[in-house]
Amino acid sequence: MTKFNKTLLAAAVTLASTQSMAAGFQLNSQSATGIGRAMAGDAIIADNASVLSRNPAAMALFDEKTLSVGASYADVQVEVSDVQYGDNHIGSMDNAAEAKFIPNFYYISPINDKWAYGVAAFSNYGTGTDLSTLNSDHDFNTPIDLLGNTEVTTVNFNASVSYRINDSLSLGLGLDAVYGSGTLTRNGDITLPVVGEVPLNLVDVEADGWAVGGIVGLAYEFNENHRIGLSYRFSPEMKASGDIAYNSNPLTPAENFDEIQIPIADIAQLAGFHQLTEKFAIHYTAQWTQWSSFDNISVVDGDLGTASDVIKHYNWKDSWFFSLGGTYDINETWTVRAGIASDQGVVGEVSSLSIPDSDRMWYSAGFTYNLSNKSSIDFGYTLVAGEKVHVLEDSALVGQVSAYTESGANYFSLQYNHTF
């Protein structure tokens, strides 16, 4: 595969990280209660079944069957401004991302005083962006290899068990089946010497696939008012197959590939919960994501059989997410919560127009309304504020491109909980 084709494919795939609003292309939106407290303590609070997305060992804290069903609405803003190369000014986009609904489902069932099991469906990764309009209405060539439409969705299907060793210590183990699908297009017009203006369809991908991962967890209760949780999620390498075609030259046939292979980062987290008074509690989370394992993206070329080719190397770094929150029980009907978080970006020395990544702050608030002693409704809101970043990136078509990117989001989440 030519170096030019490798650049095109790398640019296409890396755009999959532009909407997620957490480090890399990771999502932190698995529950309304989590959204309402900046995910602080989510791996151990266990106030509803959504704790299953963070720590299977925490299922040991439940005495009754519990169901949680909800969805988050991510209103994401990605601003790309002052895009230019040389003396050519390509323009700006106020909103390059699409808003998304992110549903979730959790069910936990104690078997006896030692064992419990649970099943869940949620998402850890996803994005949706369109930068293709920056290619329009110019009398000069644009970096169409860096701009285009991207739709990537993942769904995590989890089955877990927990075992209570004693009054203090519980362990958990879960299996993840991750389904991923995506659409990537990179096309536009370019003016070539002698030939003149020609349309280029550089990237046209419709692919999906499955991968298997797992999670292990620990829950430790000092007493009824103080506990901590620890978990480690082993993330798989995603492999997607389908219609994968690339064309770097309109005079030659498109090159075809069988599979795109993308490594996904492992996640470790420590969470704590401390009931300080009868009505007030504090909670916190320290989450580490191994984005340094996202070292390259490779493809399997259908024309070459089983040969695998690395199409781009990355210089991403591991990231930390720190959050602190508080919960206050107003009365038997109403509970309010709030949180704040600091989220580190993952891009190292090599920046990219297709990854508007930066350090971010999370500001969260939410509440629970108890419909009865068996059912409740949760609402959560988070404002995510990112930094403005200057990006320099080389295009295989026009040379070095300069731009500024800034990303932020408003998360709204609603959830229903019921115990049986």
Side-chain angles (χ1 to χ4, degrees):
M1 187 187 300
T2 66
K3 181 179 180 181
F4 182 66
N5 284 336
K6 293 179 182 180
T7 302
L8 297 179
L9 183 55
V13 177
T14 53
L15 270 171
S17 55
T18 56
Q19 188 197 305
S20 52
M21 299 317 303
F25 45 93
Q26 181 182 1
L27 291 171
N28 268 331
S29 55
Q30 287 78 25
S31 69
T33 43
I35 290 291
R37 56 186 173 227
M39 305 299 159
D42 262 26
I44 194 59
I45 293 181
D47 46 0
N48 57 65
S50 66
V51 71
L52 186 53
S53 68
R54 300 276 176 161
N55 185 4
M59 292 191 298
L61 301 174
F62 290 84
D63 297 325
E64 298 178 289
K65 298 177 181 179
T66 304
L67 170 73
S68 293
V69 180
S72 297
Y73 178 74
D75 180 17
V76 181
Q77 300 88 39
V78 174
E79 180 180 338
V80 182
S81 59
D82 298 326
V83 184
Q84 64 180 43
Y85 69 92
D87 295 328
N88 297 312
H89 295 265
I90 298 172
S92 302
M93 288 189 67
D94 292 333
N95 194 357
E98 299 177 0
K100 292 291 182 183
F101 278 102
I102 309 168
N104 55 69
F105 169 87
Y106 307 96
Y107 176 75
I108 293 174
S109 178
I111 300 173
N112 51 42
D113 60 354
K114 293 289 187 181
W115 290 93
Y117 74 89
V119 293
F122 55 93
S123 180
N124 277 328
Y125 305 98
T127 185
T129 60
D130 190 353
L131 302 179
S132 59
T133 58
L134 289 173
N135 293 317
S136 304
D137 301 324
H138 298 293
D139 57 1
F140 52 83
N141 290 333
T142 58
I144 62 176
D145 55 331
L146 305 182
L147 309 173
N149 182 55
T150 299
E151 183 73 26
V152 176
T153 303
T154 67
V155 182
N156 189 311
F157 298 95
N158 173 271
S160 297
V161 295
S162 68
Y163 179 74
R164 178 175 287 280
I165 295 177
N166 53 43
D167 290 341
S168 298
L169 180 62
S170 300
L171 302 178
L173 175 66
L175 183 68
D176 293 324
V178 184
Y179 173 75
S181 63
T183 300
L184 305 172
T185 59
R186 301 293 179 268
N187 53 64
D189 295 330
I190 189 170
T191 301
L192 300 176
V194 181
V195 179
E197 187 174 272
V198 296
L200 290 184
N201 187 23
L202 302 175
V203 179
D204 190 2
V205 176
E206 191 82 31
D208 63 357
W210 287 88
V212 178
I215 183 171
V216 294
L218 174 152
Y220 190 84
E221 302 166 74
F222 298 97
N223 52 49
E224 62 180 6
N225 293 321
H226 302 277
R227 55 185 180 267
I228 60 172
L230 180 67
S231 68
Y232 192 96
R233 170 161 264 120
F234 301 90
S235 297
E237 180 180 60
M238 290 299 306
K239 298 181 179 180
S241 59
D243 297 325
I244 305 172
Y246 306 90
N247 190 356
S248 61
N249 188 333
L251 302 179
T252 62
E255 295 189 57
N256 296 307
F257 302 87
D258 288 336
E259 199 170 65
I260 297 177
Q261 301 176 344
I262 306 173
I264 303 297
D266 289 357
I267 304 170
Q269 57 189 303
L270 171 69
F273 174 83
H274 305 281
Q275 190 76 41
L276 301 183
T277 70
E278 183 179 352
K279 291 182 174 292
F280 179 70
I282 63 169
H283 27 87
Y284 49 85
T285 287
Q287 176 181 280
W288 171 82
T289 307
Q290 192 185 16
W291 279 117
S292 60
S293 65
F294 186 70
D295 53 354
N296 65 70
I297 294 175
S298 61
V299 294
V300 175
D301 194 326
D303 295 335
L304 299 178
T306 60
S308 181
D309 192 2
V310 175
I311 61 174
K312 185 172 181 178
H313 293 277
Y314 288 82
N315 189 31
W316 281 17
K317 58 186 179 181
D318 297 340
S319 67
W320 283 95
F321 178 94
F322 298 102
S323 61
L324 176 66
T327 297
Y328 184 78
D329 295 321
I330 298 175
N331 50 42
E332 294 183 354
T333 302
W334 291 94
T335 297
V336 294
R337 59 184 59 89
I340 187 171
S342 173
D343 188 14
Q344 289 183 332
V346 301
V347 176
E349 298 177 358
V350 181
S351 60
S352 173
L353 173 64
S354 60
I355 308 176
D357 191 60
S358 69
D359 293 345
R360 302 179 177 96
M361 292 298 298
W362 292 51
Y363 306 96
S364 305
F367 65 83
T368 295
Y369 178 73
N370 292 309
L371 300 170
S372 68
N373 62 351
K374 290 288 187 179
S375 61
S376 63
I377 294 177
D378 300 317
F379 174 80
Y381 168 76
T382 287
L383 169 65
V384 181
E387 300 176 351
K388 192 171 186 176
V389 177
H390 184 214
V391 175
L392 294 172
E393 185 176 12
D394 291 328
S395 165
L397 298 176
V398 301
Q400 189 176 75
V401 178
S402 171
Y404 290 88
T405 63
E406 186 174 4
S407 57
N410 291 283
Y411 275 107
F412 304 88
S413 189
L414 191 65
Q415 180 174 297
Y416 173 75
N417 312 293
H418 189 79
T419 58
F420 302 89

